[in-house]
Amino acid sequence: MVDRTMLASQRTLFEMPRDICYLNAASYSPLPLKTIEAGRAAVLRKGQPWTLSAGFANQQHERTRAAAARLIGADPDDVALVPSVGYGVSTAAKSLTLPRGCRVIVLENDHSSPVLEWHARAGTQGLVVETVRQPDDYDWTSAILAAIERPGAPPVGLASISSVHWSDGGLVDVEKVSAALKRQGAVFLIDATHHVGVLDLDVTRLAMLTDRIAERLRDAGRSVPDKRFRAPHILSLAFKDRMPAGLIEGLASEDIYVAPRLGRMRISPHVYNDEADCDRFVAALSKRLRM
Ligand SMILES: Cc1ncc(COP(=O)(O)O)c(C=O)c1O
């Protein structure tokens, strides 16, 4: 049995100097060296397309579909390749017939890609888009279930949500939400951008690093989201009034990289990070916030 808690930092697989403290994988994940090599080879190949066999593109597509299917326990035939989440959502919307007057559940401050399409269709298709408010306690699952099951409300036709919330890293229990939607015969559209390939594979390691940051911040008197309600690989910090101006830029000037997200600070370590990165981040943040 593999003990995933022992996964060492994978920094050597990346082009990442030791003095870079990169905690921003959820925005721009650096490409592993192997992927950079594959990208170079692909660009060179496109320079001489006459050398490619007729079946080459299809083989690549099938390989990609099989790899994607493995990540989510699906069959390659269940997978369609699309150029973006927004495009995938609008394609799905074209193939669905939702009853007039039904509700479409979306999340406040979610990424626009799973949300916009439904607002655009609401008028012409008679849909009622209901936005679940960002809960103060980070418990998105309870908030979504309460919205779906609200007594007296019109039936739900569809929920279109990010299963790891785009701006606060909140984790939605997709099994529970799925069961509640099924009871109403509703469709569940999951934007799993921050979910697939992390939660099911390397949960324990990533969790360790965000837990370490969370513990140290809590020790310093800062409020951090409860572990039960957040994705294990993302930690999003809220500020009482607003995030102090220049905080993200100040950290970046020390080669510590995190993302601002709608007034919160989103910290997203990945396989190249280690405990030293976490401690360095907490020390720098504490100094800047005088915690
Ligand atoms: C939750 C989520 N969904 C979707 C996207 C990207 O959407 P698209 O592929 O439509 O540009 C992002 C990108 O940051 C995201 O965080």
Side-chain angles (χ1 to χ4, degrees):
M1 204 179 106
V2 177
D3 181 355
R4 292 209 170 95
T5 60
M6 297 305 285
L7 177 68
S9 166
Q10 306 291 300
R11 191 182 287 254
T12 53
L13 304 182
F14 294 79
E15 203 174 76
M16 185 177 288
R18 179 59 264 189
D19 58 332
I20 296 295
C21 181
Y22 194 74
L23 300 170
N24 199 11
S27 298
Y28 292 105
S29 49
L31 294 177
L33 291 165
K34 263 192 167 175
T35 311
I36 293 173
E37 273 314 305
R40 282 199 183 108
V43 169
L44 291 179
R45 231 172 14 232
K46 193 72 165 63
Q48 299 188 321
W50 56 89
T51 62
L52 303 178
S53 69
F56 179 76
N58 202 40
Q59 283 159 19
Q60 295 289 83
H61 297 156
E62 287 311 310
R63 201 176 145 202
T64 308
R65 294 206 311 159
R70 271 200 304 278
L71 279 178
I72 55 171
D75 189 272
D77 281 345
D78 297 330
V79 176
L81 302 179
V82 287
S84 72
V85 175
Y87 192 94
V89 173
S90 88
T91 305
K94 285 187 180 73
S95 68
L96 285 174
T97 311
L98 297 173
R100 286 190 87 77
C102 75
R103 287 184 295 152
V104 171
I105 304 281
V106 297
L107 307 185
E108 186 180 28
N109 292 332
D110 199 357
H111 194 272
S112 56
S113 289
V115 174
L116 267 184
E117 183 70 25
W118 308 110
H119 282 289
R121 285 172 177 269
T124 50
Q125 294 191 2
L127 307 173
V128 182
V129 178
E130 180 168 326
T131 304
V132 179
R133 298 286 156 222
Q134 202 153 20
D136 289 337
D137 62 1
Y138 295 90
D139 185 357
W140 276 110
T141 304
S142 298
I144 296 167
L145 291 176
I148 293 172
E149 284 162 354
R150 200 174 61 253
V156 177
L158 171 126
S160 180
I161 65 174
S162 296
S163 51
V164 170
H165 192 271
W166 173 66
S167 59
D168 70 17
L171 178 63
V172 174
D173 186 329
V174 288
E175 301 293 330
K176 282 190 184 157
V177 172
S178 171
L181 289 169
K182 271 198 188 118
R183 284 195 286 277
Q184 299 205 20
V187 178
F188 195 5
L189 193 158
I190 304 173
D191 171 354
T193 299
H194 298 291
H195 189 144
V196 167
V198 176
L199 281 165
D200 301 330
L201 293 180
D202 285 328
V203 179
T204 322
R205 166 79 193 171
L206 290 169
M208 275 172 57
L209 292 181
T210 52
D211 283 356
R212 186 179 179 100
I213 294 173
E215 265 165 36
R216 279 163 176 59
L217 290 174
R218 214 175 270 124
D219 288 349
R222 256 210 107 68
S223 137
V224 289
D226 193 299
K227 195 174 163 174
R228 284 174 301 154
F229 301 138
R230 66 173 175 82
H233 57 306
I234 295 180
L235 184 66
S236 191
L237 301 181
F239 294 82
K240 261 210 188 83
D241 300 317
R242 51 204 280 279
M243 182 154 51
L247 183 56
I248 300 282
E249 295 80 1
L251 290 169
S253 73
E254 298 181 47
D255 275 336
I256 298 172
Y257 301 94
V258 292
R261 282 292 176 273
L262 303 174
R264 293 163 201 258
M265 178 185 287
R266 190 179 70 184
I267 305 143
S268 51
H270 212 317
V271 292
Y272 36 74
N273 292 117
D274 60 13
E275 287 75 3
D277 288 330
C278 299
D279 296 351
R280 182 170 153 207
F281 163 73
V282 173
L285 183 70
S286 305
K287 206 164 129 203
R288 286 181 179 273
L289 295 178
R290 293 194 188 84
M291 292 188 320

